[in-house]
Amino acid sequence: MMKFKSLLTLTLAFLYFSCGSNSGSKKSHFSIKTDENKKEFQLGEHISGQIENKKELSIDSVIVYLNAEKVIAKSPNWSFDIPLKNQLLGNQTLKAEVFYEGQKDTTNTSIKIYNDTPPKAYTYEIVNIYPHDPKAYTQGLEFLNDTLYESTGEYGESDLRKVDLKTGEVLKMIDLDDSVFGEGLTIFNDQIILLTWRAKEGYIYDLDTFEKKGTFSYNQSKEGWGLCNDGEHIYKSDGTEKIWLLDPETLAEKDYIQIATHKSINSKMNELEWVDGLIYANTYQKDGVAIINPKNGAIVGLIDFRGLRNKLGNEKDLNEVNHVLNGIAYNPHTKQLFVTGKHWDKLFEVKIVEK
């Protein structure tokens, strides 16, 4: 019996090491070498390079992948060239499948892709000022039918509320459990979708009654920060460089974009708002809002909101580290844009002006 087990073990080991593709734990015989060992690229450039074959194995063909895009490398040096046009930005993986001597080997290398132009610079003009509850640690803000919906944070103080725009009066409110730190919200299919920070799940509420209808898990991301939607897709930030696309039916994280300028990959995108085909994202603890292309993650504009805090009546009572700009709401029918902050006593209607 022992001899049979030993023979079986040897046979399985032989099959494992003789298979036609490396398993992932096995080191590849090949590597990807980009021209000049370049690892950072901008849209408009080309990713060019070749497959290194130090053991001089007999290669039959090579396919190089950048996400779903693939190119056939050319012999005899197995060189490749990928023009960057509309690719996703951020940290990406360049992968090569090498077919040689009846086998297949896979190798990859990490690269960074940035936008090809710097963000446009914007400032603001104040159109109107409305009262805002200074007790609200604003996390999410959304406008629907002339009414504001707001979610607030901090343990033991988080809530969901419906607010009159002009008076600041809280028309309806429910408290979240004391163990939960509330985060961003969005309204989708007559439901309020609300995030928690580190509970790793979000909540679904009836728009009219605020009755809790269900929950959903984050799956891949560890935290919840901001939400917005375009009527078909839901976008979620998690504090990293990623903005996730959620399945509109299950709210599962299906895909993501990464946020980047022409020279850096950016994180800490907090409160989100969908504004005429673009995502407006407050950068946590910064007096600015990034304007993001949802197709590839490019920051195409930056709005400088410095000086807005000076208009607050309770500015001297606020800790500058925690009580920062946060809360963006947009009325698509009137083209009005509103911003506020954590424990701010005012809500500002603003007009965005290019510098």
Side-chain angles (χ1 to χ4, degrees):
M1 186 68 175
M2 292 298 293
K3 289 183 178 180
F4 174 77
K5 286 185 176 180
S6 299
L7 180 60
L8 178 61
T9 301
L10 288 171
T11 302
L12 290 174
F14 175 80
L15 289 173
Y16 177 80
F17 287 108
S18 301
C19 63
S21 176
N22 66 323
S23 64
S25 60
K26 178 184 173 183
K27 187 176 180 180
S28 174
H29 295 307
F30 310 94
S31 61
I32 301 172
K33 183 179 180 180
T34 55
D35 291 350
E36 301 177 351
N37 290 317
K38 188 173 180 179
K39 298 296 183 181
E40 298 185 353
F41 303 86
Q42 288 186 336
L43 296 182
E45 296 180 341
H46 289 239
I47 302 176
S48 300
Q50 63 185 49
I51 303 302
E52 285 194 320
N53 180 12
K54 292 183 179 180
K55 291 189 176 183
E56 298 184 352
L57 299 169
S58 179
I59 297 177
D60 301 309
S61 63
V62 176
I63 304 175
V64 180
Y65 296 86
L66 178 58
N67 295 320
E69 183 178 358
K70 67 179 182 179
V71 298
I72 307 299
K74 298 179 180 179
S75 63
N77 296 326
W78 303 107
S79 60
F80 61 88
D81 180 84
I82 303 175
L84 297 178
K85 298 178 181 178
N86 301 309
Q87 283 85 354
L88 294 172
L89 305 185
N91 298 299
Q92 305 296 338
T93 299
L94 197 63
K95 183 180 77 171
E97 290 182 345
V98 183
F99 298 86
Y100 71 104
E101 300 176 1
Q103 300 187 68
K104 184 180 80 170
D105 210 340
T106 301
T107 183
N108 57 62
T109 188
S110 298
I111 60 171
K112 298 179 186 292
I113 303 178
Y114 304 127
N115 198 24
D116 55 347
T117 55
K120 289 185 178 180
Y122 296 91
T123 185
Y124 65 94
E125 295 176 358
I126 298 175
V127 179
N128 284 303
I129 301 177
Y130 301 100
H132 179 255
D133 183 4
K135 296 180 181 179
Y137 189 81
T138 305
Q139 299 287 67
L141 196 66
E142 193 151 323
F143 198 91
L144 181 69
N145 298 331
D146 299 326
T147 304
L148 286 172
Y149 292 82
E150 184 173 8
S151 55
T152 71
E154 297 196 307
Y155 291 110
E157 299 181 17
S158 298
D159 60 50
L160 170 64
R161 53 179 69 184
K162 181 179 180 180
V163 181
D164 183 274
L165 166 65
K166 294 184 178 179
T167 67
E169 177 187 359
V170 178
L171 304 175
K172 190 176 188 64
M173 183 174 72
I174 60 168
D175 294 324
L176 275 62
D177 189 88
D178 287 352
S179 65
V180 169
F181 195 116
E183 283 286 346
L185 64 75
T186 194
I187 299 170
F188 187 80
N189 288 343
D190 294 325
Q191 293 180 320
I192 300 171
I193 303 169
L194 187 147
L195 297 176
T196 63
W197 182 25
R198 290 179 170 172
K200 296 184 179 180
E201 68 175 6
Y203 304 143
I204 305 168
Y205 296 92
D206 182 271
L207 177 61
D208 296 321
T209 66
F210 281 16
E211 178 186 357
K212 191 174 180 180
K213 308 295 287 187
T215 64
F216 61 96
S217 299
Y218 293 166
N219 304 123
Q220 301 177 70
S221 65
K222 294 182 179 180
E223 297 183 357
W225 285 42
L227 282 175
C228 71
N229 76 87
D230 62 2
E232 296 182 8
H233 307 94
I234 301 170
Y235 302 86
K236 169 185 177 286
S237 60
D238 65 0
T240 71
E241 72 280 1
K242 297 175 182 177
I243 291 183
W244 294 87
L245 278 72
L246 306 188
D247 185 291
E249 298 295 329
T250 66
L251 301 180
E253 296 162 347
K254 291 297 186 183
D255 203 353
Y256 61 83
I257 56 174
Q258 298 177 67
I259 310 309
T261 65
H262 60 302
K263 60 181 181 180
S264 65
I265 298 171
N266 297 69
S267 60
K268 295 188 176 182
M269 297 297 142
N270 202 7
E271 220 275 290
L272 307 180
E273 184 74 8
W274 184 264
V275 181
D276 294 338
L278 298 167
I279 296 174
Y280 280 37
N282 159 247
T283 304
Y284 181 53
Q285 294 186 332
K286 300 292 184 181
D287 290 323
V289 167
I291 304 175
I292 300 167
N293 180 347
K295 294 181 179 179
N296 65 359
I299 297 180
V300 296
L302 289 170
I303 309 171
D304 184 354
F305 279 110
R306 284 179 295 181
L308 207 54
R309 281 178 60 97
N310 300 334
K311 308 294 182 182
L312 300 176
N314 65 335
E315 181 200 5
K316 294 182 180 179
D317 300 328
L318 300 181
N319 182 315
E320 291 187 8
V321 175
N322 295 321
H323 304 127
V324 291
L325 177 77
N326 200 55
I328 313 167
Y330 180 66
N331 185 337
H333 304 294
T334 62
K335 307 296 183 182
Q336 292 171 289
L337 183 68
F338 304 90
V339 295
T340 189
K342 302 174 184 291
H343 290 310
W344 285 19
D345 69 348
K346 290 181 174 60
L347 173 80
F348 299 91
E349 180 187 346
V350 293
K351 177 183 178 182
I352 305 307
V353 181
E354 188 171 352
K355 287 185 177 180

